[in-house]
Amino acid sequence: AVTSDVPLPFYSRRIGLVQGANGPASVPILGGGRLTGRIGKYQVGLVNMQTRDDEPTGAEATNFSVVRVRRDVLRRSGIGVMATSRSQAQARPGSNQFYGVDGTFAFFNNLLFNTYWAQTQSEGANTRNSSYRAQMDYTGDRYGVQLEHLTIDPDFNPEAGFLRRTDMRKNYGQLRFSPRPRRNKVIRKFFAVGQYTYIQDTAGRLSTRLA
C-alpha cells in the first residue's frame, strides 16, 4: 500500500483502472511495452501502454507514456529527470503531463539528502501546479536526525502516478539518541526518539500538528 505523502510520478496500477460511479473499475488494455537499461553512468527507463474504449464504464482509449533518465554522480549519488503523459485525464478534460528533476546525494557512510522539483499540466490548472521536497537523513549509530520540507500545490496532479494528499506544506523533524551501554550484557542498545510534524495548507491554515 502507498502511505507516504510524497507523490509518485508513475504508479503502474493506475493503468487499466478508472474511477467509476461505484468505485474503481478495470478497462481493457490493448498493449504496450517497457524498456529499461544502463548506458555507462546513465540509467534509462521507457514505458508506453495503451488502453481501449470501454463502453460499460464510459472510459475512452488512453495512452500512458513515461520517460526516466538518471545519471550517477560522485560515488553514491545521482541526478534524474522524468516525464509522464496521460492522453485522457480523469480529474479534468484533456490530457495530463508531469515533468520533474530529482537528486539523491550521499556523503560519508550515514548522511543522505533527497530532493526534487516537479510540475504537472492539465487543462485549466497550470498556475498552482508545483511540488518540491528537501530531506536530510543522518543515520549515525549513536545519533540520528531526519528533517523534511514537502510542498504540494492545490493543482498538482500526476495522473499517471499516485497522490495521497494535495494542498499542503509539511515540515517534519525527528531526533534519535541510541547509546550502547558498555557494562550491560543483556541490553545492547537504548533508543530514545522524538519527532514533530507540522502541516499547513498553501494558504497557511494549520491542518495537522503532531509531537
Side-chain angles (χ1 to χ4, degrees), residues 12 14-18 26-32 48-54 59-64 86-88:
S12 61
R14 294 292 296 269
I15 300 176
L17 287 178
V18 295
S26 61
V27 296
I29 296 177
L30 181 63
N48 189 275
M49 298 292 292
Q50 180 72 40
T51 64
R52 296 185 297 189
D53 292 327
D54 187 58
E60 299 182 52
T62 304
N63 180 265
F64 295 81
R86 178 171 177 156
S87 63
Q88 295 292 333

Side-chain angles (χ1 to χ4, degrees), residues 22 28 32 148 176:
N22 299 318
E148 179 189 34
R176 170 179 54 82

Side-chain angles (χ1 to χ4, degrees), residues 128 154 167-169 200-206:
R128 304 176 66 189
D167 191 12
M168 66 178 293
R169 290 177 179 171
Q200 300 173 294
D201 64 18
T202 51
R205 293 183 293 263
L206 177 65

Side-chain angles (χ1 to χ4, degrees), residues 5-24:
D5 289 326
V6 178
L8 290 179
F10 176 62
Y11 190 50
S12 61
R13 294 184 181 182
R14 294 292 296 269
I15 300 176
L17 287 178
V18 295
Q19 189 66 33
N22 299 318

Side-chain angles (χ1 to χ4, degrees), residues 94-172:
S95 62
N96 173 269
Q97 289 80 37
F98 163 97
Y99 52 91
V101 58
D102 62 275
T104 301
F105 305 96
F107 300 97
F108 310 106
N109 294 322
N110 46 29
L111 182 60
L112 181 67
F113 293 91
N114 288 302
T115 185
Y116 78 81
W117 174 89
Q119 274 194 346
T120 59
Q121 290 186 339
S122 300
E123 185 175 323
N126 295 319
T127 53
R128 304 176 66 189
N129 58 336
S130 298
S131 177
Y132 55 88
R133 180 195 190 210
Q135 183 205 35
M136 186 203 78
D137 195 359
Y138 174 74
T139 57
D141 182 69
R142 189 176 179 87
Y143 302 98
V145 179
Q146 291 184 16
L147 299 173
E148 179 189 34
H149 176 79
L150 172 65
T151 290
I152 304 175
D153 284 345
D155 291 334
F156 182 79
N157 180 32
E159 290 216 8
F162 181 87
L163 182 62
R164 180 170 177 260
R165 184 171 179 174
T166 188
D167 191 12
M168 66 178 293
R169 290 177 179 171
K170 175 182 178 181
N171 291 291
Y172 173 81

